[in-house]
Amino acid sequence: MGGDRHNVELSPHVSDEIRKTTCYMCACRCGINVHLRTGEDGQPKVRYIEGNRDHPINKGVLCAKGSAGIMQHYSPARLKKPLLRTGERGKGEFKEIEWDEALSIAAEWLGEVRERDPRKLAFFTGRDQSQSLTGWWAQQYGTPNFAAHGGFCSVNMAAGGIYTFGGAFWEFGSPDWDKTELFMIFGVAEDHDSNPIKIGLGKLKARGVKVVGVNPVRTGYNAIADEWVGITPGTDGLFILSLVHELLRTGRVDLDYLLRYTNAPWLVVENEGGADHGLFARDESGEPLVFDREAQECVSSKSTGVKPALKGQVTLPDGRMARPAFELLAQKYLSDAYAPETVAETTGVSPSQIRRLAAEIAEAAFEKEITVDQPWTDMKGERHDKMVGRPVSFHAMRGISAHSNGFQTCRALHLLQILVGSIDCPGGFRFKPPYPRPIDGQPRPHGGCKPGEPLPGPHLGFLRGPEELLLEEDGVTPQRIDKAFSWDAPMSSHGLMHMVISNAHAGDPYPVDVLFMYMANMSWNSSMNSGGVMKMLEDKDENGEYKIPKIIYSDAYNSEMVAYADLVLPDTTYLERHDCISLLDRPISEPEALADSIRWPVVDPATQGEGRDVRGFQSVLLDLGARLRLPGMTDEDGNALYADYADYMINHQRRPGVGPLAGWRGKNGGSSGRGDPNPDQINRYIENGGFFEAHVPAEAQYFKHANRAWTDWAIEMGLQDGPVENTFQLYLEPLRKFQLAAEGHGERQPPETHRQRISATFDPLPIWYAPFEGEGIDEGQYPYHALSQRPAAMYHSWGSQNAWLRQIHGANPLYVPGPICDEAGLEDGDWAWVTSHHGKIKVPVRRMEAVNGKTMWTWNAIGKRSGAWTLDENAPEAKKGFLLNHLIHELLPPKADGLRWSNSDPITGQAAWFDLRVRIEKAPPEVHPVSLPQFEPLKDTLTKPADHIAYGHEWEAK
């Protein structure tokens, strides 16, 4: 069954029933058909999984991960019952308990903290696809300390895009695969959005469209690109701004697009040393000013019929001087600092390649202009008879984001898109509903907490300046345990999950009493400094008490993190649960259609005869909320409002008429987007294949940021409650406000330790600066870059417990460029010591030529701790697999003053995984070498599985 299905004649009685749901083997959220057959015990068993041809995301395409979901569902590593720790933390010694006891313990721990000091609960979730629920729960509980995994994954990408133009790559938008004439991809590993990208690349190849891959490593998508740019890690922003330099130098920018849709003509005050220097000039009502070339006067940017200037010094009505933002932009990027010859050595990209690529971008945008004969009306009331497209598109992901300069790099890429006019036009990048969502329509972050009360608003958001930082009354101390929205990481829209354990262990800014985590393997592959984090979780104070007193953890599998929990709440597999891929969170929309989806229990764990007593975490969370009598989860008499997560999905309303699911709303299911709860809603989703789809009207398909038809439809569908202005922010004023604070202006100013860093990195126009780790070490001692990326067949640590996927990636060598191999005397199959400023690991080596010459790399999350995931202690994942995490510290090397910063982007706090610098040397040969470091094997809490496991023995192939 794991072989090529085209070479197997299937039995005529393969399945008794097909149930359609949503895959969870990665974050792609494809539609799947789960084939079931009645087993010998009379209960349905999963027989195989295929793609759903009617699904809007994958259209029947399914990758190795999705097909191997059967092995995920039947994994021997599945947890079976709630567990209570009996031995020392980290030893894996537990006793099984019943759910009533487990929930009573959890409610007691959580309830005591809520009534005394809610901030002493730190609640953080990993690859959770129900953040609208978990965030709401934490808000009702009252702790300021909630976030999901985005802070160590791709918050730079999300925040950089939303601050700039109200959207971002991947779940926020996608290329116009059918119309683009040039496609450039930056830093995308082959697991991200894999099936839609594969389908899209197939369309481009069929049309002969050129694909350019920008990545230090040439695998996956980059391997099939027509041109590969083997960029030096951490220099993408410099390369992009050199492309901008060339476009400006040659005059190949879309000035009409800039005037219509961006803040390029907004006037920026020139008052060197003043508290307003670098801010936008505004009229009495607070609207930004532009200079009307015809009227020769300053007017509101919202005025109609204006012809704004893009250059020239202007005297404002109050006598101050100002210039259009575009003139400042042009002056900056026309500087020799961004010339191809200047950046070539740093980026590893030749001047000729930079110039040629800039010319090809301009050619695609302006000489291959396309039009769609669709009239539309913009937000100023002007009627257009057609839609004009600049058919060049870009896509990017974590590879450019996971650096300490990642926020500005992401902004630089969006600047490039906007300069050629390729945002949400035919052939360019296209918004996916509910986006665009510009800053004016985004929430602000909320802090402050009071015993027994909810938080006054959502935890996460987008602040507009220093006045909105979450600080204590001294204006310096962070309110949050991860130091998000503080001077350390002011615009940290997704939090800093990678700093939670180390900060809690240090009691900085304060200790926590309960650490509550879901699907977050923080004791292994989801933490920097994994060995150090394990020690922090085990560490005790002078009284013999754990420094992090209580840890509650929920997972479906026996991951490395389970051993460090005090209370384990076993989750279901994705085929046994209700889930909501919601417009309130991370929907499955495509540019042409609003879409969301569900998962539902296609099999019931109680009927599988396996002795498992597990519950979906979301239902458990609602149960705990009811036990704690959290607002919105109980009625006046203290009775639970929601029986379980499915009940919540149907009946919860975030605001009147708007709930987790958009389809089949209203008592009779006749409404979409808005409407009363429909008790039959989930059944309607199931009947439709597990998803809902509503097509965007033709007039609203493009230019959603400025399209009246889109706004009207978005309001009708409940995506927004009124018109929201979306002017693209080439010049980002909130960054300048932080610089002014660092320069000594305003009521809130950073401490002296932070001033220089904020001044240098918070430039309102995108800039490039060298990654911090390289600046803090002797690069002669650590001359090479090291990074990881996810393979197409794996997704975090879930995949390498999977019997089928382990056959593809059972171990992960370090791929080393040929010249480095030659210098170090390394050959294929050798072992090597790799050393960073923080640690040293021993790894197997493979020679590779298709990689940046200064960069070595490996697959992410293959390596396992011995004894985890119910794998044999000597499994190749444990003995030959490894993690680069052991080389990466959560803190940067100390500066001259002894201060150690978080190893993160200074603007958003995203973990800088890819800034790692190393050296390499050949390890002496051994008879049976193993990767190092090795740790004491974890004691398996589960029954050891048989040496040979087979499912569905009654299935036959002829």
Side-chain angles (χ1 to χ4, degrees), residues 201-435:
L201 287 171
K203 291 181 177 181
L204 300 186
K205 290 291 184 180
R207 294 197 293 114
V209 173
K210 182 173 182 178
V211 176
V212 180
V214 183
N215 198 309
V217 181
R218 190 166 199 185
T219 61
Y221 309 136
N222 298 280
I224 65 167
D226 300 287
E227 182 173 351
W228 172 55
V229 181
I231 195 94
T232 300
T235 67
D236 302 80
L238 189 59
F239 165 66
I240 293 165
L241 292 176
S242 191
L243 295 173
V244 168
H245 170 96
E246 284 298 295
L247 292 171
L248 290 169
R249 185 183 65 81
T250 57
R252 308 304 300 275
V253 296
D254 191 335
L255 295 179
D256 182 65
Y257 190 93
L258 295 175
L259 287 168
R260 284 181 181 275
Y261 307 127
T262 81
N263 67 359
W266 291 7
L267 295 173
V268 180
V269 174
E270 291 185 324
N271 181 21
E272 193 71 42
D276 56 355
H277 180 58
L279 299 180
F280 290 124
R282 300 178 183 271
D283 62 17
E284 292 181 356
S285 63
E287 296 299 334
L289 294 173
V290 298
F291 185 74
D292 188 334
R293 300 193 310 272
E294 289 192 349
Q296 289 291 296
E297 64 179 358
C298 296
V299 298
S300 167
S301 60
K302 288 190 173 180
S303 301
T304 58
V306 176
K307 297 189 179 302
L310 287 176
K311 64 178 182 178
Q313 190 177 53
V314 174
T315 301
L316 299 171
D318 58 11
R320 295 177 298 166
M321 308 304 294
R323 292 182 189 274
F326 183 77
E327 182 170 353
L328 303 180
L329 180 155
Q331 288 175 350
K332 178 183 284 288
Y333 302 124
L334 285 170
S335 161
D336 288 342
Y338 298 105
E341 288 79 9
T342 307
V343 309
E345 182 177 356
T346 301
T347 63
V349 186
S350 70
S352 61
Q353 190 175 23
I354 294 173
R355 287 200 176 89
R356 179 174 48 74
L357 287 171
E360 291 178 12
I361 290 170
E363 179 187 17
F366 301 111
E367 296 178 29
K368 297 182 180 181
E369 173 184 295
I370 58 176
T371 59
V372 174
D373 291 326
Q374 172 62 59
W376 65 287
T377 302
D378 65 27
M379 293 299 290
K380 291 184 177 180
E382 183 178 351
R383 188 69 174 168
H384 305 265
D385 61 357
K386 59 186 176 182
M387 295 174 166
V388 178
R390 305 294 181 201
V392 54
S393 56
F394 303 85
H395 190 72
M397 228 8 237
R398 189 166 176 244
I400 69 169
S401 156
H403 292 281
S404 50
N405 57 21
F407 178 81
Q408 292 285 23
T409 293
C410 295
R411 289 237 318 131
L413 184 52
H414 299 317
L415 168 66
L416 174 60
Q417 293 175 280
I418 293 168
L419 286 176
V420 297
S422 68
I423 297 286
D424 213 49
C425 69
F429 168 93
R430 301 182 66 188
F431 291 114
K432 296 179 182 180
Y435 294 92

Side-chain angles (χ1 to χ4, degrees), residues 20 209 499 933:
K20 300 175 185 290
V209 173
M499 294 306 300

Side-chain angles (χ1 to χ4, degrees), residues 890-911:
E890 74 272 13
L891 301 176
L892 288 167
K895 301 177 76 69
D897 59 5
L899 185 64
R900 297 191 70 178
W901 297 98
S902 167
N903 187 11
S904 310
D905 187 296
I907 300 172
T908 67
Q910 173 165 346

